[in-house]
Amino acid sequence: MLSILAACRLSCLLARERLLEGLPGTMKVLLLKDAKEDDSGQDPYIQELQLCGLEATLIPVLSFEFMSLPSLSEKLSHPEGFGGLIFTSPRAVEAVKLCLEKDNKTEAWEKSLKDRWNAKSVYVVGSATASLVNKIGLDAEGAGSGNAEKLAEYICSKPSSELPLLFPCGTIKGDTLPKMLKDKGIPMESMHVYQTVPHPGIQGSLESYYENQGIPASITFFSPSGLKYSLEYIQALSGGSFDQIKFVAIGPSTTRAMAAKGLPVSCTAESPTPQALAAGIRKVLKPNNCC
């Protein structure tokens, strides 16, 4: 039997064919994230939504500034002091990559360091982070957990070391994972390796989108920070049509942030993947009886 997502994708493909045959135009959806090209040269979220007959646009709302890289580089050079690694965002992996490039550690990493880290556990959230972890030569586990809370449950289910897990993270990381590990007596050393700041082009990009595309049928927020930095502009630009927009969250932490702002959440993706998000948006919008 087809899985729910597979059935949805098949239905969406059929819907797209009907659209191309002359049915009313595609619905417009707005994704508040930066573009990440896959092997096909296209952002996988855009690709998946196009398969569903939706016209998606990406607008980046966040920028990242790296910090404490010398300290991170030093810790990466001594895997014997840690029980493993935790990555909950692509930026944390990028920080590791920067350390290797800036400190000329690439050779040492390839010769021995990556294998010494691979002898331990390398925990990740989400397929995007897992892919980046794999690209620097590390074996990721826990990617299917989908969010920090489920990853913490996964880590707690594994045999633990007396050595701390190294957790490179952003300055505004959630408390869920650290608290759950602490409650279970699992040692962890977190360090801030990047900070999140508003993307300088948020206002201009949103104004251009609304001027050229009009009011989107749906808007997806990908993080509490993205919500924080963009909501005011969206409210002003949407005016009286604001209540008509279906607001979607990529995960539970973003859902909680939206609820705290009094924003109605039409859907939370079952996992932070293009397929799950597309299925959720189609269910909310229900065009052409898809999903």
Side-chain angles (χ1 to χ4, degrees), residues 238-253:
S238 301
S241 300
F242 182 79
D243 292 339
Q244 299 174 17
I245 301 170
K246 302 296 184 182
F247 293 103
V248 176
I250 193 62
S253 62

Side-chain angles (χ1 to χ4, degrees), residues 100-135:
L100 300 178
E101 294 172 349
K102 287 187 175 182
D103 294 344
N104 296 318
K105 280 192 167 68
T106 304
E107 185 177 351
W109 181 262
E110 291 296 329
K111 276 188 175 181
S112 66
L113 285 177
K114 72 174 182 181
D115 292 332
R116 290 164 65 192
W117 279 112
N118 275 330
K120 305 168 185 290
S121 295
V122 181
Y123 300 109
V124 305
V125 167
S127 57
T129 304
S131 177
L132 290 176
V133 165
N134 294 153
K135 285 180 180 179

Side-chain angles (χ1 to χ4, degrees), residues 69-80 82 85 87 95-97 99-100 105 109 113-114 116-117 138 166 168 191:
L69 295 186
S71 296
L72 176 60
S73 181
E74 177 65 19
K75 293 179 189 300
L76 290 171
S77 297
H78 296 283
E80 70 277 4
F82 299 94
L85 285 161
F87 294 108
V96 170
K97 186 178 178 184
C99 286
L100 300 178
K105 280 192 167 68
W109 181 262
L113 285 177
K114 72 174 182 181
R116 290 164 65 192
W117 279 112
L138 295 178
L166 179 59
M191 65 178 302

